[in-house]
Amino acid sequence: MPRLTKNEDACIACHRCEAICAWAHHVVFNPHKGRVIVDLEYPDTHQLRICIQCGRCADACPMDAIYQDFTILTTSEQGIYRLDESKCTGCGECIEACPTKVLQFYADKRMPRKCDFCLGQPMCVRYCPTKALGWVLG
């Protein structure tokens, strides 16, 4: 029952997690297309924003485009929430409902970016040079 974890004290704000996420999902090294976000608030302050799999986005979606995939379980033994792009109308209700504000809108695709934990092999964790992101399996 895996989950994604973060340690902001270990993060050096290199944005590698954002870039590798964009590569894994869109084959482009563009941190602005990642599903993990490193917010730089001040020169010495930053925040890692990750999907916490709370399900509020799914509850808010009027098209049922966000669903639980039970092939990958979270630590609460619930399936991860994933986006069915064929059902998404781009209304933005899920983005408004997201408590971590990690859901962002793809203007070119007219739909949100939704973390899917790379289907159990999160690339952001694999390529984080300081282990600021983790994948807990139990």
Side-chain angles (χ1 to χ4, degrees), residues 86-134:
S86 69
K87 291 182 178 181
C88 181
T89 62
C91 71
E93 294 295 320
C94 59
I95 293 170
E96 292 298 318
C98 181
T100 62
K101 303 299 179 203
V102 73
L103 283 176
Q104 302 290 310
F105 196 71
Y106 281 126
D108 57 341
K109 294 179 80 177
R110 301 219 21 92
M111 64 182 55
R113 298 186 302 255
K114 173 75 180 89
C115 179
D116 60 4
F117 292 159
C118 294
L119 304 179
Q121 302 292 321
M123 295 292 112
C124 59
V125 172
R126 183 175 179 185
Y127 289 97
C128 179
T130 63
K131 307 296 183 217
L133 293 168

Side-chain angles (χ1 to χ4, degrees), residues 24-57:
H25 291 91
H26 306 288
V27 195
V28 60
F29 283 119
N30 181 345
H32 299 291
K33 290 194 174 194
R35 299 166 188 200
V36 174
I37 298 174
V38 179
D39 272 338
L40 299 175
E41 298 171 11
Y42 300 102
D44 298 327
T45 307
H46 61 275
Q47 178 185 25
L48 278 169
R49 290 190 291 163
I50 60 175
C51 180
I52 59 172
Q53 296 294 316
C54 65
R56 291 183 189 153
C57 55

